[in-house]
Amino acid sequence: MLKRSKQCCFILWLNILQHVVVVVNGGWVDPDTSKTFHSTIPLTSSDDREYQLVFSDEFETDGRSFSDGEDSRWTAIDKNDYTNDALHYYKSENARTTNGVLNITTDFKENQYKAFNEKTKKYYSDTKHVQSAMVQGWNKFCMTGGIVEYSAKLPGQGSIGGFWPALWLLGNLARAT
């Protein structure tokens, strides 16, 4: 397995010989991705296929905005994170590229939003005091199988609690998350 030297990037490998790829807006391999990473082999001994790169993003362009409609690959949505009684609100302004990496920042910042009470079935005004970002590629790039590789530097120390950074792979049916 090849090791990547960058601190944060997203790279996706897919066996194009056996799977169908739906491409929207074309050009899914980032020209900044080294040719060294245009193919890979699985780590399992039972699979001897070579996989070809069909999607990569090196995040090399400084100041990229991921607000809705501004990026062909990713969208950072503005929404309340209601899962697990989360304390933060997602804002697109907290996702930017600098020095060749995607930076997602967390700030103490008030956000008022319209919430829904499941018991009373009524809307009410609520406030969250922590702001971060969620970047998604929903309905922009679809795959049916393959190998996904990414490199990420997460905040904090593994032995100290308090942060819950995550990198999730969710299908299109997970849109409500």
Side-chain angles (χ1 to χ4, degrees):
M1 174 64 63
L2 299 170
K3 297 290 182 193
R4 301 202 40 100
S5 62
K6 300 185 66 167
Q7 289 183 354
C8 182
C9 66
F10 179 88
I11 189 163
L12 180 124
W13 307 85
L14 182 67
N15 182 340
I16 60 174
L17 299 174
Q18 295 188 358
H19 299 99
V20 176
V21 177
V22 177
V23 178
V24 180
N25 296 331
W28 292 112
V29 175
D30 189 326
D32 289 325
T33 301
S34 169
K35 297 284 185 211
T36 306
F37 301 107
H38 281 222
S39 66
T40 193
I41 57 172
L43 296 175
T44 56
S45 59
S46 61
D47 188 351
D48 62 354
R49 297 173 290 178
E50 181 176 351
Y51 287 72
Q52 301 302 311
L53 180 68
V54 296
F55 179 95
S56 64
D57 196 337
E58 302 293 332
F59 300 107
E60 290 291 336
T61 304
D62 276 354
R64 249 169 96 185
S65 171
F66 300 100
S67 295
D68 193 18
E70 292 190 19
D71 194 87
S72 62
R73 297 170 184 224
W74 308 106
T75 300
I77 58 177
D78 296 334
K79 75 178 278 290
N80 171 38
D81 182 2
Y82 53 85
T83 54
N84 301 317
D85 291 325
L87 300 175
H88 61 274
Y89 190 88
Y90 291 129
K91 292 287 277 187
S92 58
E93 65 193 56
N94 287 63
R96 291 285 182 267
T97 53
T98 53
N99 299 319
V101 296
L102 167 62
N103 289 297
I104 296 177
T105 58
T106 299
D107 302 311
F108 290 104
K109 194 172 188 180
E110 285 194 4
N111 284 281
Q112 291 186 336
Y113 62 97
K114 188 177 182 179
F116 186 74
N117 184 316
E118 290 290 336
K119 291 179 183 176
T120 64
K121 306 293 185 205
K122 293 183 179 182
Y123 287 97
Y124 65 98
S125 179
D126 199 6
T127 302
K128 289 206 172 174
H129 305 280
V130 179
Q131 179 176 299
S132 191
M134 174 176 60
V135 179
Q136 62 181 15
W138 181 80
N139 218 23
K140 292 187 178 197
F141 180 85
C142 299
M143 59 178 278
T144 58
I147 298 173
V148 176
E149 295 180 341
Y150 62 86
S151 174
K153 182 179 178 184
L154 302 176
Q157 299 175 17
S159 60
I160 300 174
F163 287 109
W164 192 11
L167 299 164
W168 296 80
L169 292 175
L170 302 170
N172 274 358
L173 295 178
R175 175 69 170 146
T177 300

